[in-house]
Amino acid sequence: MTAQLWCFGESGNAAKVAQMLTLTGTAWQPVFVNFFAGEARSPAFRAINPMGEVPVLRLDGRTLTQSAVMLRHLARKTGQFGWASEEEEDEILRWLFWDNHKFSAQIGTTRFLMNFLPPEKRPEQAIAFQQGRLKAAYAVLEDHLASRDWVANGRPSIADLSLASYLYYPEPFGFARADWPRIDAWMSRLSALPGWKHPYDLMPRAFPPATA
């Protein structure tokens, strides 16, 4: 049965799951959510996910929310991008939790404030504070990659897919690949995986591409 992923192209959290579905060869189709028009807060959407958040994955008769849960479920189901021991699973979970708390959550908020609010409503002090926190997080990841090609277990895993997702977006949020050479090289290794796609090529976008 074809999986359904409630998503929109600008969502880095949805991109994590869309990438995993694509790389594992899982049949899936996107269900566009008009997030910026408030659809995620609508009664119809909350009937699917009471948390009012994207993404939502419907697969094998189950409805899953929270991207880390979806990634873990897909790793178990497909036998790909997962773990071979309890120790490896714990290491992957460690980085998934760190990503959700310290990395993707901060990037998503900062990117939203800098790009998807009208310029006159952008809180510059809050943005600067967020960017300071992110700089510290980038340094943690950069240092971690000094002695390894992949985040968790010596091979690409759902930890890599989760952590890297937002970093490929072109909108500014205080990250430049050239400033973090190990992260840059890691991102290149990820995007070289067979079947990898840019987030904007995975899902329908809420906003059309910028034109010159």
Side-chain angles (χ1 to χ4, degrees):
M1 182 178 294
T2 299
Q4 292 177 294
L5 182 69
W6 280 258
C7 60
F8 59 100
E10 288 79 3
S11 170
N13 286 322
K16 301 172 185 183
V17 184
Q19 197 73 256
M20 179 66 171
L21 289 163
T22 301
L23 289 173
T24 58
T26 303
W28 71 284
Q29 62 183 23
V31 180
F32 176 70
V33 178
N34 196 347
F35 175 85
F36 294 100
E39 184 178 350
R41 298 188 298 273
S42 69
F45 185 82
R46 286 186 180 272
I48 301 169
N49 181 9
M51 294 177 178
E53 296 176 336
V54 169
V56 176
L57 177 65
R58 186 165 288 167
L59 177 66
D60 297 334
R62 295 184 60 188
T63 299
L64 303 174
T65 66
Q66 299 300 313
S67 61
V69 173
M70 299 175 206
L71 291 173
R72 188 165 180 264
H73 177 80
L74 288 166
R76 289 200 308 264
K77 176 181 173 63
T78 66
Q80 300 179 62
F81 298 98
W83 50 90
S85 67
E86 183 177 334
E87 289 77 13
E88 288 190 356
E89 182 181 14
D90 287 345
E91 182 66 2
I92 286 173
L93 287 175
R94 183 170 81 102
W95 284 100
L96 288 178
F97 290 146
W98 185 81
D99 175 49
N100 279 252
H101 180 56
K102 294 287 190 179
F103 206 67
S104 285
Q106 308 293 338
I107 295 174
T109 300
T110 307
R111 178 169 162 263
F112 178 83
L113 294 176
M114 291 180 66
N115 298 277
F116 300 118
L117 283 180
E120 67 275 10
K121 293 184 178 181
R122 295 173 186 171
E124 298 302 330
Q125 288 184 326
I127 289 170
F129 174 78
Q130 289 284 104
Q131 289 180 329
R133 296 192 69 183
L134 279 171
K135 187 174 182 180
Y138 300 143
V140 169
L141 183 57
E142 178 80 2
D143 290 346
H144 181 68
L145 291 167
S147 59
R148 51 183 54 81
D149 287 342
W150 305 104
V151 167
N153 300 316
R155 59 186 178 278
S157 74
I158 55 174
D160 299 282
L161 299 183
S162 188
L163 282 158
S165 180
Y166 272 103
L167 299 179
Y168 292 102
Y169 281 104
E171 298 86 9
F173 51 86
F175 172 76
R177 289 178 63 163
D179 294 338
W180 308 96
R182 294 167 186 156
I183 294 176
D184 176 50
W186 165 70
M187 291 174 65
S188 294
R189 287 191 289 274
L190 265 176
S191 60
L193 294 175
W196 184 94
K197 293 184 179 180
H198 188 278
Y200 279 145
D201 295 327
L202 285 168
M203 304 171 291
R205 297 178 62 166
F207 302 111
T211 55

